[in-house]
Amino acid sequence: MQRHACEPRPDWRERVERIGLSYHSHETGPYWDESACYEFTASEVDELEGAARDLHSLCIEAAEAVIRNNWWDRLAIPPAAVPSILNSWERDDFSIYGRFDLAYDGTSPPKLLEYNADTPTALVEAAVAQWFWLQDTRPRADQFNSIHERLIDAWRRWNGRSIHFSSIKEHAEDEQTVLYLRDTCVQAGVETRSVSVEDIGWDPRRRCFIDLDNVRIENCFKLYPWEWLWREEFAVHLPSEPVRMLEPAWKMLLSNKGLLPILWEIFPDHPNLLPAYEGAERLGACYVAKPKLSREGANIARIEGGVVVEESEGGYGAEGRVYQALAAIPSFEGNHPVCGVWIVDHEPAGLGIREDCRLITSNLSRFVPHFFQKSEQP
Amino acid sequence: MRISSQCVYVNDYFVPGAGYYHAPFRRFYPFAYNHFDPRLKMYFFGGQWGFSPFQSPINISSPTEDAAKLAEASRTDIVRGGFGSTSGGFSTWS
């Protein structure tokens, strides 16, 4: 695993905008950053892929343990949500995607930092933008990236006839993410409609959710966290399950950092897991404290020698925290990459790298493309 | 918005299917507050008819929990905006 400095394509902004990455820059600098890239060996890619496959299986087993032992409190899951989670688990409701964030340095086994299993973003960047970057800059190289094809295949396997796609208003990244997913769904031959989360209506006569044309929402991909849905006004209608959501309700078990101590409890010393507990005591003076439901690196604190050395802001934490051993996140001239391995329809499908000068990856962390050299053909 | 015992409503706040809110009585009724029926020559308030309008200083109140539930169950209009309040319109995900 190496980091290379690169010369960005002269017209990189126009190029990434053309494929939907309109949110390529922050006020403080680029978000899409092709002034650098990461190179992997084929065996390193295999290792990341294998780790993600194993971790997904472990998470499914851990979720089963939560259900079997009624560990709802350990995940701060509201009691009202439990029957829906159980129903969706029993039905094996379809899941389209998720993303593991892994600490990896190319030498030691990848370590799970968290599983973004409900509302992962950085999808357009990983599936499309870096693929076109590869074609433009290194057409002979390869990339751990079959996200696009896997998504289309997954929608084909999904047995629904039509689906609504929903995100919050006036948020370019979310709108583009959902638009891209909708495009893959259309390519699979599924009928699609869109409705903003805020515009979803409730028809009391038909007892169903509806869009702005009063069309019933039977299936809905929502880029909106489950735990937020359950605390809002329309949550009163969710127990009757008038709509099948994607991601399904059972993903609340996997997208929750409360699962990290459970994973460690069930699979102690697994090479892809970091020690994690519900209290900090067993980790000594060095650890990371994570709210169970935080997103985009919010409210994460890094403690070294018993002192908080890095902490991110946010509005999470009331739901409780978990404590995880420090991961060996590598430093490439002060840049710390985190490997996001995408899972599509339960299988590893690609890689996206976010890097930061800080050790806590946040919503401002840069997306940096990657490649690996194709194996020699015999 | 959903009818709630946590919210306040003024007299004659109308919800299709549930009716008109009568603040002094904290419930919804099929006729407006102090509605006059020229045939009966009577006024309607709080679920009953009287020969004169009901006098009360209460023009705004919250419905009882039962009344809010009943109104919500019987309303026939489309309600929107019941999802999306947590985001505040600025959040990104993960």
Side-chain angles (χ1 to χ4, degrees), chain A residues 160-173:
Chain A
R161 193 176 49 83
S162 67
I163 187 167
H164 282 74
F165 283 82
S166 193
S167 64
I168 58 167
K169 291 179 180 178
E170 295 171 6
H171 194 285
E173 181 178 0

Side-chain angles (χ1 to χ4, degrees), chain A residues 201-368:
Chain A
W202 174 256
D203 183 334
R205 279 177 291 197
R206 291 188 286 166
R207 303 207 59 73
C208 63
F209 290 117
I210 53 171
D211 64 16
L212 281 174
D213 294 322
N214 295 339
V215 173
R216 181 181 174 185
I217 303 172
E218 294 181 69
N219 301 291
C220 185
F221 174 88
K222 46 91 200 149
L223 192 60
Y224 199 75
W226 264 110
E227 63 269 18
W228 293 11
L229 292 176
W230 277 107
R231 76 165 73 135
E232 296 184 352
E233 198 176 305
F234 277 171
V236 69
H237 304 304
L238 291 174
S240 63
E241 300 187 39
V243 58
R244 289 284 170 87
M245 292 286 195
L246 275 176
E247 289 296 300
W250 64 262
K251 276 298 197 79
M252 287 182 81
L253 304 174
L254 272 55
S255 65
N256 190 308
K257 292 177 191 62
L259 201 69
L260 295 172
I262 294 171
L263 282 164
W264 187 249
E265 201 171 293
I266 302 173
F267 308 105
D269 302 320
H270 189 283
N272 299 125
L273 294 175
L274 290 162
Y277 303 99
E278 282 156 359
E281 302 76 21
R282 297 174 69 180
L283 291 167
C286 298
Y287 56 89
V288 174
K290 298 179 171 183
K292 291 176 182 173
L293 300 174
S294 85
R295 289 162 192 274
E296 287 283 2
N299 296 102
I300 289 175
R302 185 177 174 90
I303 290 95
E304 291 183 32
V307 177
V308 177
V309 293
E310 196 175 334
E311 191 170 17
S312 52
E313 295 180 341
Y316 299 93
E319 72 278 14
R321 288 179 164 78
V322 297
Y323 303 87
Q324 192 179 42
L326 293 182
I329 297 176
S331 174
F332 293 89
E333 296 161 349
N335 298 291
H336 303 288
V338 166
C339 294
V341 179
W342 287 89
I343 299 289
V344 176
D345 195 11
H346 300 278
E347 289 292 330
L351 170 67
I353 297 172
R354 302 280 297 277
E355 70 166 24
D356 207 304
C357 301
R358 305 189 326 154
L359 283 161
I360 298 173
T361 303
S362 74
N363 61 339
L364 297 179
S365 301
R366 303 176 299 276
F367 189 100
V368 180

